[in-house]
Amino acid sequence: MEKTHRKIAREQATICIYQNLLVGTSLDEMRTYISENEKLSTSEDSLNFALWLVETTLQNKESYQKLLEKHLKKGWTFERLSVMERAILLIAACELLESDLPKTIVINEAVVNAKKFCDDESYKFINGILGHIA
């Protein structure tokens, strides 16, 4: 089954946030990365969606982290999570808090990305955390 443009946009935005968390990739570098994606370049709406996700997530990263951290196990910090788990959670928090998309779709897409990019059990954890903030 071929991925939708929105799924690709989410994946690309997640990768950008991952790179930002890991090595401090700049917003300009992330914009270039997204703009060079062949499939996204054929859909202006999806390209804009990916850029919006990255920019909005970066603008609100600290508040999203604080919100997500409230729902972690006692004694855990946001920094204790893998970098990819953090990126997926931040993107999903952005969508949950800043868009009108149905909560179930946002959580499902985060779970799909967790299954693709994270450890075998991470998707359950991500689903649980997002369920608490939805």
Side-chain angles (χ1 to χ4, degrees), residues 17-83:
I17 296 301
Y18 170 81
Q19 292 171 334
N20 176 263
L21 294 171
L22 191 65
V23 296
T25 303
S26 73
L27 182 55
D28 285 340
E29 291 171 312
M30 289 184 266
R31 285 181 180 137
T32 300
Y33 175 77
I34 289 170
S35 298
E36 291 175 349
N37 182 285
E38 284 182 30
K39 290 190 179 181
L40 287 182
S41 65
T42 64
S43 169
E44 189 173 340
D45 286 344
S46 296
L47 180 66
N48 289 334
F49 177 64
L51 293 169
W52 174 83
L53 277 173
V54 168
E55 292 169 5
T56 306
T57 298
L58 289 177
Q59 289 169 359
N60 299 293
K61 184 167 67 170
E62 288 181 29
S63 64
Y64 297 162
Q65 282 180 201
K66 287 177 185 173
L67 174 65
L68 292 162
E69 200 163 49
K70 288 179 186 177
H71 301 287
L72 297 177
K73 288 182 185 178
K74 186 176 181 177
W76 277 55
T77 64
F78 193 71
E79 296 300 316
R80 184 173 177 185
L81 305 177
S82 77
V83 178

